[in-house]
Amino acid sequence: MLIVSIENVLHASWQAPAKVRTLITRADSFFSGEDAIDVELKNSFGFNVATHVGDSKERVLSIRQQIQKEIGSEEAINWLTQVHGNACLDLDAFPENKESDLLEYDACFSFHPKHVCVVSTADCLPIFVSDEQGHFVCAIHAGWQGLHKDIIPMSLQRIRESANKQAIDLAPLCAYIGPAISQKNYQVDEKFYSRFIDKNAQYQACFEPDGEGRFLADLKGIAYLQLKAEGVDHINDSGICTYEHEAFYSYRKASHHKETRCGRFASMIWLDN
């Protein structure tokens, strides 16, 4: 019997049907219940789900195990090793005896209820995608590198290929962009700006000048253009800036404050039975 629950979490508000479940943790999330593990914020990492940031691996794995119990998935949550690339993992074709976090992916998707898709972030965009009938779920980790490498269109291409093989007619697609850094807190240099403008002139609308050779980049705006170009009809945004909101991890804020520790929060999506 489940006697542990996660407090202080966020759920996506979007056009996906009720059978599409979501859960986004925060730095100040915690477990309540008789068997709750010690995740008090006296630990400077807070409710961190990443094993590569200097936190105790044993502690992180304990948090992951408790999350597993809370959402009640039939199989292990598929934690990924994210490398700011454009590879998307088809969880339905992934061998059950392998661990997904041993391979390098920045997105994953599934058409089956038993699989949980998850990405971990701290300023990059966590993006959920489904269709309005809930045939599939997808989680995408989209930082600037992933956006430049077309992680969004490449992920959607894989999903459509899988749907075609299964003779599934997808309903209109919908997307949700979770907590991520806002434009006003994401200053970049001219090389960064040119990299995107040279790729697609439409991206110019996603940059504002901010002094000589400096710009403010709207990563959410770039993602929005890519999603729209892929025929995603409905896009919702959490409206939360990780740099400004204390409840979410921000790598850039930690760097500005010369902090060496920065955890990651999890954004997960799955289909209910």
Side-chain angles (χ1 to χ4, degrees), residues 109 111 135-136 157-170:
F109 70 93
F111 283 77
H135 287 110
F136 75 93
Q157 178 182 344
R158 290 216 63 197
I159 290 166
R160 290 187 173 109
E161 290 172 352
S162 179
N164 289 337
K165 289 178 182 178
Q166 301 175 70
I168 296 175
D169 292 326
L170 296 179

Side-chain angles (χ1 to χ4, degrees), residues 202-254:
Q202 285 188 322
Y203 292 153
Q204 188 158 3
C206 302
F207 291 87
E208 292 183 4
D210 191 42
E212 186 175 354
R214 299 289 174 179
F215 299 86
L216 296 175
D218 183 6
L219 297 183
K220 290 185 179 182
I222 295 171
Y224 186 94
L225 290 174
Q226 292 187 4
L227 288 164
K228 280 294 185 181
E230 289 296 315
V232 180
D233 295 327
H234 299 288
I235 305 170
N236 290 83
D237 179 6
S238 70
I240 296 173
C241 173
T242 47
Y243 191 97
E244 296 177 354
H245 203 303
E246 293 295 331
F248 293 93
Y249 296 105
S250 170
Y251 182 82
R252 179 161 283 215
K253 180 168 63 178

Side-chain angles (χ1 to χ4, degrees), residues 1-5 31-38 62 66 69:
M1 182 177 66
L2 180 65
I3 56 177
V4 177
S5 62
F31 293 113
S32 62
E34 295 178 24
D35 287 346
I37 60 174
D38 178 16
S62 294
Q66 292 290 356
K69 292 179 182 179

